[in-house]
Amino acid sequence: MILLPIVYFSYQTIERANANKPEGYKWPSLSDYKLMIVTTLLFMIIENSADYFFTPMFEKVCREQVDLEVRKVRSKKAIKNIYKGFYFIGTTTFAYMVLKGSYIMPPLLGGDDSFYDHFTHYPYWEHPKYYTEFYMTCMGYNMAGLLQELFFEDKGRNDYLEMLLHHVITVYLVVFGYATNIFMGAPVILVHNASDALICFVRTINESKYYAKNPIIFFPALFIWVYMRCITFPQLLYAVIFYTNHVYMPPLLMPLFRLCLCCLQCLHFYWTFLLFKIIYNFFFKGVADDLINKNKISSAEVSATVLKKQL
């Protein structure tokens, strides 16, 4: 229900900003979304093609070789994570190249400025080169994920509704950030994509017969995750809470947006707890394995048997 008032207040913001924009200023427009349509189709083709061509190949190195149904599930999951991992690496690099010289990038992300300046020139700030292309690429990926969930994924999975809701909210927030011309949306995407990249490859290795080697990549992935989601993102959230006010925005819009980000930060801390729980269970209980129930894959798992053998 919280999304409905955000839609209404966002519309008011866009109307006010468009009515007063300087001559020649390019406010985000519907024509920009043509690129999103192209990237959505492209990502759907890539994901389904990868699944079709590479899943049978991965089955040969899958850690499960007895139960063929479980082997197929694990292999499909591994290929999907390879696809996602390369996407996250690519868009993280893209985001850094687009944002590195902007006034919003703090030293935490390799810049020289601060999150606190994110509303300095709002709403008529100058977009960095390729900003629209970056946003439409990310929007297309998330839209493809939503369509994939609706039409191609197994609706019998135990996490189907959870993931569907995740995709709906993600697509909405990405569209919201772009349509209202909020610069902070781009660093939010950068933080999330950077922290997810290696985690995807941890999950992939975990599904293979080489899962015992997972600690080699698990600990760097954990470090990046904690750095981005538990150190960098809280500072971004602080800037949004205490350094965001503007006459073009209805009074309730930013409080609702802050609430969404606060909920997201709580999830970050919870997921980080699960990551450390994997380590704890291994060292103190001797167990660090995921459960795959035939054709069901749980999204709560971060990596199966991350630490199968002692380091």
Side-chain angles (χ1 to χ4, degrees), residues 174-236:
V174 174
V175 172
F176 162 78
Y178 184 77
T180 54
N181 211 25
I182 295 178
F183 199 5
M184 187 62 91
V188 169
I189 295 174
L190 170 58
V191 166
H192 283 82
N193 288 7
S195 58
D196 276 336
L198 284 185
I199 290 292
C200 288
F201 292 111
V202 169
R203 289 169 170 167
T204 298
I205 296 172
N206 174 69
E207 303 302 341
S208 75
K209 62 183 180 181
Y210 307 108
Y211 60 88
K213 305 292 185 182
N214 232 344
I216 297 173
I217 191 172
F218 175 80
F219 287 107
L222 178 62
F223 173 80
I224 295 173
W225 175 280
V226 171
Y227 181 81
M228 287 294 183
R229 303 222 179 187
C230 300
I231 297 176
T232 304
F233 193 83
Q235 296 190 43
L236 183 155

Side-chain angles (χ1 to χ4, degrees), residues 104-233:
I104 201 174
M105 284 285 277
L108 281 170
L109 294 177
D112 298 316
D113 289 281
S114 171
F115 286 142
Y116 303 149
D117 297 328
H118 74 112
F119 253 47
T120 300
H121 305 294
Y122 188 82
Y124 307 118
W125 58 279
E126 184 178 352
H127 295 182
K129 190 176 182 180
Y130 301 120
Y131 173 81
T132 297
E133 288 78 4
F134 163 71
Y135 237 108
M136 290 301 115
T137 298
C138 295
M139 201 179 296
Y141 169 82
N142 287 291
M143 182 62 73
L146 174 59
L147 295 177
Q148 191 77 16
E149 201 70 39
L150 285 171
F151 300 110
F152 295 97
E153 296 294 338
D154 177 17
K155 294 179 175 57
R157 289 195 341 263
N158 57 355
D159 68 335
Y160 176 76
L161 291 179
E162 173 189 340
M163 292 307 299
L164 181 62
L165 180 62
H166 163 75
H167 286 301
V168 169
I169 293 175
T170 301
V171 168
Y172 172 78
L173 290 177
V174 174
V175 172
F176 162 78
Y178 184 77
T180 54
N181 211 25
I182 295 178
F183 199 5
M184 187 62 91
V188 169
I189 295 174
L190 170 58
V191 166
H192 283 82
N193 288 7
S195 58
D196 276 336
L198 284 185
I199 290 292
C200 288
F201 292 111
V202 169
R203 289 169 170 167
T204 298
I205 296 172
N206 174 69
E207 303 302 341
S208 75
K209 62 183 180 181
Y210 307 108
Y211 60 88
K213 305 292 185 182
N214 232 344
I216 297 173
I217 191 172
F218 175 80
F219 287 107
L222 178 62
F223 173 80
I224 295 173
W225 175 280
V226 171
Y227 181 81
M228 287 294 183
R229 303 222 179 187
C230 300
I231 297 176
T232 304
F233 193 83

